[in-house]
Amino acid sequence: MEHPNEHHYLYKRLIVECDQWISRNVVCFGNQMHHTEEQKEAFIAGIGERIAKQVIPQQPESALTIAFTIYTLVEQQAWIEYWKYQLSCPVRLFSDIEAITRQIENHHNLQKPLQVKYNYGTEDQFIDEVRLNPAEVVCVLSYAKDDRRIILERKRYNDRQFKCNAYILDRQYLPNDKGLNYENLRDYLDPLKIHLVVANNAIVNEAFYDFDGDNLKLNPEIKLIITINGFDNDKFKEIILNKRAGDKKKAHQELIACRENKRNQINSLQKLSSFYTHQKEILEGK
């Protein structure tokens, strides 16, 4: 081949062949790969041989580089088209909505765990990592007059029995590299702010505490059977707020806002669930 247009025609033809091969063997049937690396390399080598034969016979290595580049560009374009389809595909949309409504993956199963200490201050003390569901965190208080935090968890197990766990968090920074203050810890545990409320020097769960006009009191129906070395368990039963009226009002407003966020989230999930069910029935011809 001596005419430049003939070269252009060859390259265009190779692009089409790459596109056809990829559509048949790579991006199809829900992103299942139907080729081995050896098959891919053999296909690219075949393209390289044609380029070396018809364009640059004296530079076989350069021909193979050009062949690999052509294949890569076409493959990337194929992935772009695939994901554009995925983002607009009704089936994918319904699947995502279903995942949201059922909350298959909660953020606490995905975030980095906290490094905590169990049986703090005893001979049985040991360090472990834990992921906390914000709905199961009763409250977070200061263990002492420093940065150490005591986290109280009320967890339901398969036998429908509740068990209280206490963890001591004494790291200076959270896994997201933010300082260990109450605002940062609440945002880390409950980024949607639908369970946990920051009140003075504490974090409380809106489901377990109520404002009595002065302080935050634990629901008397919640029984805490737990012993923590060097800590007064009665502090869990009543969170003492600052005496200033403004601080009490702010804590009460934060509690109300958290409950409103939770109510709005539940309503949104119900609407999404209804939409998904309705669209599914349409697809099934009901």
Side-chain angles (χ1 to χ4, degrees):
M1 280 189 176
E2 296 182 357
H3 199 285
N5 288 337
E6 294 178 338
H7 296 176
H8 294 163
Y9 175 80
L10 172 65
Y11 289 141
K12 289 179 180 179
R13 182 61 206 169
L14 292 175
I15 289 172
V16 172
E17 291 182 11
C18 286
D19 184 65
Q20 292 174 344
W21 191 83
I22 288 172
S23 65
R24 290 194 306 267
N25 300 284
V26 182
V27 185
C28 56
F29 301 114
N31 192 21
Q32 296 298 312
M33 299 298 184
H34 293 276
H35 70 79
T36 64
E37 285 298 318
E38 290 77 11
Q39 290 172 327
K40 174 180 175 180
E41 291 173 2
F43 177 76
I44 295 174
I47 295 175
E49 290 175 2
R50 292 168 63 182
I51 295 174
K53 181 180 179 180
Q54 302 182 51
V55 183
I56 45 177
Q58 304 301 324
Q59 303 179 45
E61 292 183 357
S62 297
L64 185 61
T65 300
I66 294 172
F68 180 79
T69 302
I70 291 174
Y71 178 88
T72 302
L73 290 173
V74 176
E75 184 182 44
Q76 290 176 345
Q77 183 61 38
W79 280 115
I80 292 172
E81 294 300 322
Y82 172 78
W83 286 115
K84 283 171 61 179
Y85 170 77
Q86 287 291 314
L87 292 173
S88 61
C89 175
V91 175
R92 175 63 180 263
L93 175 62
F94 294 152
S95 177
D96 290 345
I97 291 175
E98 184 177 38
I100 293 171
T101 54
R102 296 184 179 180
Q103 300 186 61
I104 295 173
E105 283 291 343
N106 294 307
H107 81 277
H108 59 275
N109 292 327
L110 304 175
Q111 69 177 355
K112 293 181 179 179
L114 293 174
Q115 188 176 85
V116 297
K117 293 183 179 179
Y118 294 81
N119 301 322
Y120 196 77
T122 70
E123 295 180 355
D124 299 324
Q125 174 180 304
F126 64 96
I127 299 175
D128 203 350
E129 292 185 332
V130 63
R131 289 183 173 89
L132 296 169
N133 183 343
E136 297 175 335
V137 174
V138 177
C139 69
V140 182
L141 297 175
S142 294
Y143 181 79
K145 293 182 179 180
D146 52 31
D147 285 341
R148 286 176 292 177
R149 308 283 183 249
I150 182 165
I151 303 175
L152 181 63
E153 176 190 49
R154 185 173 181 262
K155 194 173 186 64
R156 181 190 290 273
Y157 290 88
N158 294 332
D159 57 2
R160 297 186 178 182
Q161 295 296 318
F162 289 102
K163 179 182 178 182
C164 291
N165 302 309
Y167 313 112
I168 300 295
L169 184 65
D170 59 3
R171 292 181 60 182
Q172 187 174 359
Y173 292 95
L174 295 168
N176 57 9
D177 294 328
K178 290 190 176 181
L180 188 59
N181 60 43
Y182 287 101
E183 289 282 352
N184 290 341
L185 182 55
R186 188 277 306 276
D187 292 343
Y188 186 79
L189 294 174
D190 184 21
L192 296 180
K193 300 180 181 180
I194 58 176
H195 297 289
L196 303 180
V197 178
V198 177
N200 294 349
N201 294 321
I203 298 173
V204 299
N205 192 315
E206 63 83 23
F208 298 133
Y209 286 86
D210 288 303
F211 181 68
D212 68 353
D214 281 318
N215 301 310
L216 295 169
K217 289 192 175 180
L218 183 68
N219 188 324
E221 297 180 359
I222 306 298
K223 305 300 180 184
L224 301 180
I225 304 175
I226 191 169
T227 300
I228 302 168
N229 186 61
F231 190 81
D232 182 6
N233 293 341
D234 287 338
K235 292 182 178 180
F236 292 127
K237 297 179 180 179
E238 184 174 12
I239 307 299
I240 305 300
L241 301 176
N242 289 338
K243 294 182 179 180
R244 290 180 297 183
D247 290 341
K248 294 181 183 293
K249 181 179 180 180
K250 181 181 178 181
H252 189 204
Q253 288 176 337
E254 290 287 339
L255 186 66
I256 294 173
C258 182
R259 288 172 174 169
E260 186 66 20
N261 288 342
K262 186 174 184 179
R263 185 160 45 249
N264 289 337
Q265 190 222 27
I266 292 174
N267 290 338
S268 297
L269 292 175
Q270 288 174 340
K271 290 177 181 178
L272 279 174
S273 180
S274 298
F275 172 78
Y276 170 79
T277 302
H278 175 67
Q279 295 298 325
K280 185 177 181 182
E281 289 176 350
I282 292 177
L283 290 173
E284 294 175 350
K286 294 182 179 179

